[in-house]
């Protein structure tokens, strides 16, 4: 008999502490903002962080379903157009475990989204992403996670890829231009933007539909193609 072969139970190995972190983003008051959660419990009690929760193998069939369950528990609602940003892990990420991993999802939402503080959440608040670079009141490494989500979104907008449900069903090119500037945090040449939109063919005009724009001039209304 091979001495290396054993019929006994496999040895137990330590498993990572796995969480889902949510990055809800919206253009609010002319700037890109993120919805943060005021933490009710330790660690980092009283700090602000991303809405998140532990992966439950008894409840979660997939990572995306886990993310939506966490959204319901922390925000009282589902989140639209979830997109996985990254997975991060390490031995010193979370004091509750010797090794912790987070799968990060971003969601692009409307600024008037109805969300209510849920389990282990004192309050919810929108914060401009530009303020988080120097913020001292953030939990864990959540500032870095927001930065990664914002970087991915900005590349998406540079590529003129606008998720349905985030952009209004009907819009003018000027409104889409303003939205893009808010996301990127910089000015965009209007003529170049319009030319790129025409070449990409991502928006189609709604015949006979106009909307008053700057200087009370009518502007053509579009929808995503």
């Amino acid at each position: 008999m091979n001495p290396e072969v054993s019929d006994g139970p496999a040895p137990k190995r330590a498993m990572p502490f796995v969480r889902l972190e949510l990055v809800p983003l919206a253009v609010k008051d002319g700037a890109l903002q993120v919805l943060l959660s005021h933490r009710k419990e330790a660690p980092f009690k009283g700090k602000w962080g991303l809405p998140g929760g532990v992966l439950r193998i008894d409840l979660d069939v997939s990572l995306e379903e886990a993310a939506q369950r966490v959204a319901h528990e922390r925000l009282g609602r589902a989140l639209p157009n979830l997109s996985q940003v990254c997975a991060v892990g390490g031995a010193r990420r979370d004091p509750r475990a010797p090794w912790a991993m987070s799968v990060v999802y971003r969601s692009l939402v409307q600024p008037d989204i109805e969300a209510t503080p849920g389990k282990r959440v004192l309050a919810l608040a929108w914060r401009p992403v530009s303020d988080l670079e120097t913020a001292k009141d953030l939990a864990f490494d959540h500032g870095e996670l927001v930065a990664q989500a914002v970087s991915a979104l900005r590349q998406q907008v540079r590529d003129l890829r606008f998720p349905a449900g985030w952009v209004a069903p009907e819009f003018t090119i000027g409104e889409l231009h303003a939205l893009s500037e808010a996301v990127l945090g910089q000015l965009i040449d209007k003529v170049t933007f319009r030319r790129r939109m025409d070449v990409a063919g991502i928006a189609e005009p709604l015949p006979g539909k106009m909307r008053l724009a700057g200087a009370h001039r009518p502007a053509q209304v579009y929808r995503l193609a």
Side-chain angles (χ1 to χ4, degrees), residues 46-200:
K47 297 280 189 179
W48 291 88
L50 295 171
V54 177
L55 179 70
R56 292 277 304 273
I57 62 173
D58 58 329
L59 297 177
D60 304 323
V61 175
S62 66
L63 287 173
E64 187 160 317
E65 287 193 17
Q68 290 291 15
R69 175 183 57 79
V70 169
H72 277 286
E73 290 180 354
R74 301 295 184 261
L75 307 176
R77 58 161 300 130
L79 290 175
N81 54 62
L82 280 178
S83 177
Q84 191 178 130
V85 177
C86 62
V88 294
R92 290 181 291 276
R93 289 193 65 250
D94 192 314
R96 291 170 293 189
W99 210 98
M101 173 181 172
S102 286
V103 182
V104 184
Y105 280 87
R106 79 172 193 264
S107 172
L108 310 179
V109 302
Q110 297 299 318
D112 58 353
I113 182 176
E114 294 184 6
T116 55
K119 292 170 57 178
R120 304 182 184 90
V121 178
L122 285 172
L124 298 168
W126 288 100
R127 296 271 291 273
V129 298
S130 58
D131 291 354
L132 301 190
E133 296 175 5
T134 57
K136 304 297 184 184
D137 60 345
L138 296 182
F140 305 100
D141 54 358
H142 288 186
E144 298 173 17
L145 302 186
V146 172
Q148 290 194 54
V150 168
S151 177
L153 172 60
R154 285 176 171 166
Q155 187 57 56
Q156 188 173 352
V157 170
R158 289 188 192 98
D159 295 339
L160 300 181
R161 292 182 288 120
F162 303 98
W166 188 50
V167 175
E170 298 181 2
F171 56 87
T172 66
I173 297 299
E175 291 167 347
L176 194 59
H177 174 264
L179 175 70
S180 299
E181 285 190 330
V183 171
L184 297 178
Q186 63 186 51
L187 298 177
I188 305 171
D189 181 75
K190 292 183 178 179
V191 175
T192 302
F193 182 80
R194 180 176 288 274
R195 185 184 303 119
R196 291 188 64 212
M197 289 287 297
D198 290 341
V199 170

